[in-house]
Amino acid sequence: QVPLVESGGGSVQAGGSLRLSCAAEGFIDSRYCMGWFRQGSGKEREGVVVIDRSSYTTYADSAKGRFTISRDNAQNKLYLQMDDLKPEDTDMYYCAAAWMCRSSGVVLSGRAQISYWGRGTQVTVSS
């Protein structure tokens, strides 16, 4: 049983939009920081955006102004609205949960322990 399940990936043209969703098991509640990471073939996984337990968000520079994270604790869901997509956004996108993280910035930087990962959803942006 996978505690995080992503959906919403797909293929779009540059300038288009996608909305990713992550459905979390019920035990992954507001005590977890949650976020989105991405990884392409041959590349290291990198943080896109993280939302902490106080709903404070930290975005990677590449995501600022174009991506928006949101969280519905009642539904145990995490979302990523991606607008003005670029070919360089093409990657596998992963949902992540970190138990009682200190801050969203620490999680985004990769310096925090990730408790759970989803299996990913592919985003492909064509020029």
Side-chain angles (χ1 to χ4, degrees):
Q1 189 176 7
V2 180
L4 299 173
V5 179
E6 303 93 337
S7 61
S11 297
V12 296
Q13 290 193 323
S17 297
L18 284 173
R19 189 189 193 211
L20 305 185
S21 298
C22 173
E25 289 292 333
F27 65 88
I28 299 179
D29 56 22
S30 59
R31 292 172 295 179
Y32 286 80
C33 295
M34 296 193 72
W36 293 95
F37 291 72
R38 64 186 185 185
Q39 186 173 22
S41 178
K43 299 192 299 183
E44 290 189 3
R45 189 172 294 186
E46 63 178 9
V48 177
V49 57
V50 175
I51 184 167
D52 70 14
R53 294 175 291 140
S54 300
S55 296
Y56 186 80
T57 57
T58 301
Y59 287 83
D61 287 343
S62 59
K64 289 177 182 176
R66 300 188 300 124
F67 295 1
T68 304
I69 192 171
S70 60
R71 182 173 185 172
D72 184 338
N73 288 327
Q75 297 291 325
N76 287 95
K77 288 193 173 179
L78 184 74
Y79 301 99
L80 182 64
Q81 178 66 40
M82 302 189 296
D83 298 317
D84 189 24
L85 283 160
K86 305 176 187 298
E88 52 264 41
D89 294 318
T90 295
D91 269 327
M92 185 73 81
Y93 284 72
Y94 297 89
C95 179
W99 169 254
M100 297 291 281
C101 75
R102 288 194 300 165
S103 75
S104 54
V106 171
V107 178
L108 188 77
S109 70
R111 291 179 284 129
Q113 178 79 33
I114 298 296
S115 306
Y116 301 100
W117 290 100
R119 289 178 174 168
T121 185
Q122 177 68 38
V123 171
T124 302
V125 185
S126 58
S127 57

